[in-house]
Every structure is written in C-alpha cells, then in structure tokens.
Amino acid sequence: FASASFALADVKATKKRPGGTVNDVVLALCAGGLRQLLLSRGEALPERDLRAQVPVNIRAGEQEHALGNELTSLFVELPVSEGDPIERYRRVVERAEQLKVGSQRAGGKAIIDLADMGPPLAGALVARSMFGGTRMFNLTITNVPGPQEQLYALGAPLVEILPLVPLFAGHTVGIAVVSYAGQMIFGLNVDSAAAPDVGVLVEGIERSFSELQAPKRTSVRKAHAGGVRR
C-alpha cells in the first residue's frame, strides 16, 4: 500500500482550464502514473490502452440516505499510450462523456446484478458480450467524495483518510481516491509480489499532476524572464 495526496482546491483548479470534472482529473492522473510504471519496466504500452472499472453511484438524490448500494460500473479506457499529458486528459474527458450518454451504464448494472444474484457464469457471459471476449478490465479506480469539514473522535482530530479498494482475483493494482478536509488522497493497493515498484506509480501520479499544471507555471516563468512582474 502507498498513497499520494493533493490539495482539493488545486485539483479543481486544474480541471477548470481544459474543462471536464474532478473525476476526469483522477482518471488522467492514474493513466499517467500507470504509463510511467509500464515505461519504467521496459514494457510495451498496450495499443488498446488499459481498461478501468469505475463504480458509479446511480442513487437518486431523494434516496441519498437509504440503506444498501445502488451502483453501476463504467469501463473507461485509460490512454496510457498517449505521451502528451494535456492530450491524455482530453482523451479521458472525451471517453468519459461518450460513456455517460451511451448504454454501458445499463450493461454495467446488469453485470453487478448478475454477480450478486446469479451464478458467476452469467456475469461472465454479459462481460464477454460487452467486450468481445477480452479481459473485462485491468484495474478498479474508485473516487468517493468525503466530508470537507474535519472530523473528531473523543476530541482527537481525524488527520487523514487512507482509502483502499480490494484487489480482484488476478489483478495487480487497485486505486481508491477520497477527498477529505480539503485534501484528495490516492490509496494504491497492489500485489506486493507483482508490483514491488509501487513507488514508481506514486511518482507517476504526482508527475502527471505537475504536468497538467505546467502551462500556468510556464507563463509565469516567461513573464519573470522578460522582466515583467504582475
């Protein structure tokens, strides 16, 4: 297990410039981190990229406090083959928008329902029909908004939340993200035997975040170099 954290205000500012959502920023950072992990190992980048299962809450607002889960899953292609960080982000936004207006939400809900109610073969058959017999997904990425006010237990402040998503059978990496008290924390749960280099993934996520902010920093450097102060 490893973690990385960012100021939530900086994450929101990052997505304002090119558009998109906070969740798009999360997916783009994960794509950049996974790209760096593969490159550091000398592995060929997959031509069809990596597919992430992204759980999505479909509970209506008036049912917010009802018991039980009401989830579907979107299966998002992470553009790890794209080297340009801005273009990588734009491709994440484009793919996410396509999924939101498509029929995959219903298909993801069907897989979850069958896995919960029926034999494993039923869910597998639905998955094959959706993805042409290929592997259903490579990893899970879940992003949950948490309370923004600091919480306390017996007077002691809760300083940090470290999120964790269990690994699916045969999977190497799972990424859980939670926002709490002005911070966004990435929790990276990995198979220690298959991914002892989880630190590279952390560095890749942090580097991707810096790259998405780079245009703003570059303009400031140019202004200083020219002797202009604002």
Side-chain angles (χ1 to χ4, degrees):
F1 181 87
S3 66
S5 63
F6 309 97
L8 182 58
D10 291 343
V11 175
K12 291 181 177 180
T14 297
K15 61 97 175 174
K16 283 183 180 178
R17 289 188 290 274
T21 67
V22 168
N23 202 54
D24 293 330
V25 176
V26 168
L27 295 176
L29 297 186
C30 292
L34 291 165
R35 172 184 170 85
Q36 182 162 319
L37 181 64
L38 293 172
L39 290 175
S40 72
R41 295 177 172 185
E43 296 185 19
L45 297 173
E47 294 181 3
R48 302 184 67 178
D49 294 321
L50 296 178
R51 184 183 297 126
Q53 176 197 217
V54 182
V56 177
N57 178 27
I58 58 174
R59 188 184 298 283
E62 61 272 15
Q63 299 176 322
E64 181 180 356
H65 300 293
L67 296 177
N69 294 322
E70 192 67 25
L71 299 174
T72 185
S73 285
L74 295 181
F75 298 90
V76 183
E77 303 289 342
L78 301 178
V80 297
S81 58
E82 175 57 59
D84 181 84
I86 303 300
E87 182 60 28
R88 190 162 57 237
Y89 178 77
R90 288 174 179 162
R91 286 173 62 181
V92 165
V93 173
E94 179 182 337
R95 292 175 181 184
E97 288 299 319
Q98 290 173 350
L99 292 177
K100 290 174 186 176
V101 300
S103 60
Q104 199 194 94
R105 286 168 66 101
K109 182 69 165 59
I111 292 175
I112 292 174
D113 289 344
L114 285 170
D116 187 46
M117 299 172 58
L121 178 60
L125 290 174
V126 175
R128 290 195 190 100
S129 69
M130 290 177 65
F131 300 114
T134 62
R135 186 175 186 179
M136 190 171 168
F137 56 95
N138 302 100
L139 77 159
T140 297
I141 302 175
T142 175
N143 178 22
V144 179
Q148 291 311 298
E149 69 277 6
Q150 189 162 46
L151 302 180
Y152 294 83
L154 302 176
L158 175 61
V159 176
E160 186 178 34
I161 295 176
L162 297 175
L164 183 144
V165 60
L167 292 179
F168 278 75
H171 284 205
T172 300
V173 178
I175 302 177
V177 182
V178 67
S179 56
Y180 167 65
Q183 295 293 309
M184 174 166 275
I185 304 100
F186 285 65
L188 313 176
N189 184 25
V190 305
D191 179 338
S192 59
D197 48 354
V198 63
V200 177
L201 179 55
V202 173
E203 293 170 1
I205 290 173
E206 293 173 341
R207 176 181 176 181
S208 295
F209 187 62
S210 297
E211 289 173 338
L212 285 179
Q213 296 180 305
K216 182 178 180 181
R217 292 203 310 272
T218 300
S219 64
V220 171
R221 283 199 299 269
K222 287 182 178 180
H224 289 173
V228 178
R229 294 188 178 184
R230 299 183 183 275

